[in-house]
Each structure stands twice: as C-alpha cells, then as structure tokens.
Amino acid sequence: MKTGESTSIDIAPETNNSGPIGKKKSTTPLLAAPVPVTDRGTHRMKRGLSIFDFVLRIGVLASALAAAATMGTSDQTLPFFTQFFQFEASYDDLPTFQFFVVAMAVVAGYVVLSIPFSIVCIIRPHAAGPRVLLLILDSVALTLNTAAAGAAAAVVSLAHSGNSSTNWLAVCNQFGDFCQQASGAVVGSFAAVLLFLLLILFSALSLKNSH
Amino acid sequence: MKTGESTSIDIAPETNNSGPIGKKKSTTPLLAAPVPVTDRGTHRMKRGLSIFDFVLRIGVLASALAAAATMGTSDQTLPFFTQFFQFEASYDDLPTFQFFVVAMAVVAGYVVLSIPFSIVCIIRPHAAGPRVLLLILDSVALTLNTAAAGAAAAVVSLAHSGNSSTNWLAVCNQFGDFCQQASGAVVGSFAAVLLFLLLILFSALSLKNSH
C-alpha cells in the first residue's frame, strides 16, 4: 500500500521538479507522443543499433582512407641505377593499383556523405526511409570496395609469388618495401569490406523490427 | 449551382454507404480477419517483389554456373610442341582462376539452397524473418562473388595487355582462345554481381513496407 501511494505521489512533483530519475526515463523517450510500453524495448534497441551503425561508419572511413593512402604513397626507388635507368616502383605502374586507389577514395567519400543519414537514424530510430537508402547504397559501396580489394589482392599475390606457367616473375624480391605497403593496403580494404558487411547486417536487423 | 448541389449530394450517400466499410477498417487490426482494403495493395506489391526475387535468383544461378563452367573448361593446347614441352594453358595454372571456379561454384550452390526461402517469401509475403535472412546471406554471397570477379578481371587484363614495369608479358598472343574463355567467365560473374545487387535492392524495398 505504501509503495502504491508513493508512486502516485511521485507523479505530481515529477512534473514540477523532474526529480525522480525513474519518472524522467518514462517521459524522455517520447519525441511527439507517448511511446507505448511494448514499443519501448524496440525503440531502445533500434537506437542502440543506430549508434553502432554510426561507430562502424567511422571505422569504415578510417580503413578505407588508410588503404587508399597506403597504396597511394607506395613508392620505392632502388639504390642502384644505370646510365639510362633508375629502378623505381610506384602504384601507378599497375592499372589495378590505380583503380584500387580511386575506388577506395570513392568509398571513403561515400562514407563521409552517409554519416548525416546515420545521424538522422539515431535521432529518429523508427524512420525506415533513410535506413533503406543507407542499406542499398552500402551494398553498392561494398561491391566497389570488394572488387578493388579482390583485384589488388590478385596482383599482390602475383607480385609475391609470380607464376611459372605464364613466365611472370615475382617482383617482390627487388621491391620488398613496395610490396609490403601494397599488401597492407589490401588488408585495410578487406577490413573495410568486413565492416560494410556488419553495417548491412545491422541495418537489416533494424529494418526487420520496424513492424 | 448544379455542380455544388451534386457534390453536396455525393457526400450524403457516401457517409451512409461507407459506414460499414469504415466500421470494418476499425475492426481489422486482428490478423485472422480478411485483409483490409489499405493493406491489399501492399500485400500484392510484396508478393510481386517476391516473385521477381525468385526469377532473379534463377538468373543469378544461370550466370554463376555459366561463369564457373566456362572458366573450369578453359583449356588450350598449342598445335606445336618440342621434344620436352607441350604448350598448354588451363585455368589451374593460375591460382586466381582456381579461386574463381571454386567461389562461383559456392555462389551457385548457395543460390540453389536459397530458392526454398524465396518460395516461402512468395507464399507468405509479410514474413520478415526469411527475407532478412536472405538479405544478409545475399550480401555475403555478393562479397564472395565480387571478390572472385574482381580478382579474375585483374589477372585477365594482365594476360591481355601485360605490364612493362614488372616485365610481365601478355600471354593472350599465344593463348587467344583460353583468354577469350576466361574473359567470358569474368563477364558472366559480373552479371551475377549486378543481379545480386538487384536482389538486395528488392529485399530492402520489401522490408521497408513491412510496417
């Protein structure tokens, strides 16, 4: 009886003081109208997913930028040269690596542009529109990212081990530092691919619960 | 005046006649009851999207199988040979092409396994569970498919044009038929990538409307 009384009393000062924390919680979720009790769990879960989405986007941005920068600055000049030649390796000797740098830069640019939509999803967790837009554009960016990563990985592996059938020799014996930098860039882009897959997973889960 | 009268007359029977319909609408929240008028369009649209999903899956299966088979049977023996060598090119000379064949076969296998879930989505257009499952697994299969396609495309382009910086010579001069078959396989796998993107697009749209 006493507890029942105390809660009924709490309601009155709450509107004045906004004092008791429990009461504050029950009034804060609402944006326009009171959220039904059954929806409150979903609401909190969706907001959590949205915040996680935002954090993952920062991670993708870091990975993509790191991959593009690592590959873009890969450059090695050998310490010996002849009268006519200086032996130098750079990413723009290989068209695949050029594509890689451009593609990863585009992916990083897309992620920057997508961050405002991610913030909208945090503010309005129940809005399905921006989430579907992000899901579809994320898939396209994932495809570009994966194609660049796969292509660069194929060329890096050729550069490392060569191929006897086609008489392509391994060039990493001479250009070890260059190869290491290219390998690092490939690893970074595959990290971005994994993070993109997680982004799509969480978007799909969040959409599923928007009944 | 006549038009004004006619509109004022129209209102009266409308309120009388649509009375039962209005009642019906207010009682429809139960799922077992007949489908409400407003939901019927959504229902039909979602079923249409599911059928389209099924058709697209058949297309992906055909593309992936064709790509795997074309690459897997690519094999060329040159018409001249020495005492010790017979010049032959096959997909398993290059690890990238081996990966391509395996990956495309895995994608084709996944598509076959996903078809029952697609049929479930046709029968029950409002079920969000199987659709989210398909969306997530489609993304993973898309990643595998794109990685294989990108890697094979990089190697095929090297085989076509070679690279002067690394002293890798173009081998397509000798093995023209082999290169053509490999290029065809790469085109097929990129077709599968596009169809996968469409699949994800339609799944996302369908999820958006499952309010």
Side-chain angles (χ1 to χ4, degrees):
Chain A
M1 276 302 287
K2 203 189 168 190
T3 52
E5 273 175 14
S6 70
T7 48
S8 66
I9 289 166
D10 275 354
I11 294 170
E14 189 268 327
T15 45
N16 296 333
N17 283 346
S18 81
I21 296 162
K23 282 297 162 188
K24 212 175 181 180
K25 256 187 196 162
S26 71
T27 51
T28 36
L30 25 116
L31 290 172
V35 180
V37 180
T38 47
D39 280 3
R40 218 170 278 163
T42 320
H43 188 270
R44 198 170 293 169
M45 194 202 72
K46 286 167 84 80
R47 175 156 289 177
L49 283 178
S50 301
I51 293 173
F52 202 60
D53 179 285
F54 179 76
V55 174
L56 276 180
R57 259 168 227 285
I58 306 288
V60 173
L61 178 60
S63 307
L65 273 186
T70 310
M71 186 64 93
T73 58
S74 65
D75 197 357
Q76 187 179 8
T77 309
L78 292 191
F80 53 87
F81 49 89
T82 67
Q83 196 173 1
F84 304 107
F85 284 115
Q86 190 174 20
F87 296 97
E88 186 179 356
S90 156
Y91 78 95
D92 49 10
D93 291 335
L94 286 157
T96 307
F97 288 171
Q98 287 177 333
F99 168 65
F100 180 90
V101 172
V102 173
M104 294 315 291
V106 168
V107 167
Y110 157 73
V111 172
V112 169
L113 292 178
S114 77
I115 281 179
F117 291 92
S118 177
I119 293 173
V120 167
C121 285
I122 294 179
I123 298 170
R124 296 182 57 196
H126 282 283
R131 198 164 282 288
V132 168
L133 187 72
L134 281 181
L135 177 56
I136 293 170
L137 293 180
D138 280 353
S139 307
V140 176
L142 166 69
T143 307
L144 181 61
N145 193 337
T146 314
V155 172
V156 164
S157 102
L158 270 180
H160 268 290
S161 53
N163 187 281
S164 57
S165 310
T166 53
N167 258 331
W168 293 340
L169 297 177
V171 293
C172 284
N173 303 330
Q174 285 93 49
F175 296 100
D177 290 352
F178 171 72
C179 272
Q180 272 195 325
Q181 244 180 315
S183 310
V186 168
V187 170
S189 69
F190 273 113
V193 166
L194 283 184
L195 293 178
F196 261 125
L197 277 178
L198 280 182
L199 273 177
I200 291 178
L201 172 68
F202 288 121
S203 286
L205 287 182
S206 184
L207 270 177
K208 187 197 165 197
N209 292 311
S210 71
H211 55 113
Chain B
M1 278 300 286
K2 203 188 169 189
T3 53
E5 270 177 18
S6 70
T7 48
S8 66
I9 288 167
D10 276 355
I11 293 168
E14 194 263 327
T15 45
N16 289 337
N17 280 350
S18 75
I21 297 171
K23 282 277 161 57
K24 216 176 182 179
K25 257 186 196 167
S26 66
T27 50
T28 38
L30 2 144
L31 289 174
V35 180
V37 179
T38 48
D39 280 4
R40 217 171 277 162
T42 320
H43 189 270
R44 198 171 292 168
M45 195 203 70
K46 287 168 83 79
R47 175 156 290 178
L49 283 177
S50 302
I51 293 173
F52 202 60
D53 180 285
F54 179 77
V55 174
L56 276 179
R57 259 167 227 286
I58 305 289
V60 172
L61 179 60
S63 307
L65 273 185
T70 311
M71 187 66 93
T73 57
S74 66
D75 197 358
Q76 186 179 10
T77 309
L78 292 191
F80 54 87
F81 48 90
T82 67
Q83 196 172 1
F84 305 107
F85 284 115
Q86 190 173 21
F87 297 98
E88 186 179 355
S90 155
Y91 78 95
D92 50 9
D93 291 335
L94 287 156
T96 307
F97 288 171
Q98 287 176 334
F99 167 64
F100 180 90
V101 172
V102 173
M104 293 314 292
V106 167
V107 167
Y110 157 73
V111 173
V112 169
L113 292 178
S114 78
I115 282 179
F117 291 91
S118 177
I119 293 174
V120 167
C121 285
I122 295 179
I123 298 171
R124 297 183 54 197
H126 283 282
R131 198 164 282 287
V132 168
L133 187 72
L134 281 181
L135 177 56
I136 293 169
L137 293 180
D138 279 353
S139 308
V140 176
L142 167 69
T143 307
L144 182 62
N145 193 339
T146 315
V155 172
V156 164
S157 102
L158 270 181
H160 268 290
S161 53
N163 188 280
S164 56
S165 310
T166 53
N167 258 331
W168 293 340
L169 298 176
V171 293
C172 284
N173 302 330
Q174 284 93 50
F175 295 101
D177 289 352
F178 171 71
C179 273
Q180 273 196 325
Q181 244 181 316
S183 310
V186 169
V187 171
S189 70
F190 273 113
V193 167
L194 283 184
L195 293 178
F196 261 125
L197 277 178
L198 280 181
L199 273 178
I200 290 177
L201 172 69
F202 289 120
S203 285
L205 288 182
S206 184
L207 270 177
K208 186 196 167 198
N209 292 312
S210 71
H211 55 112

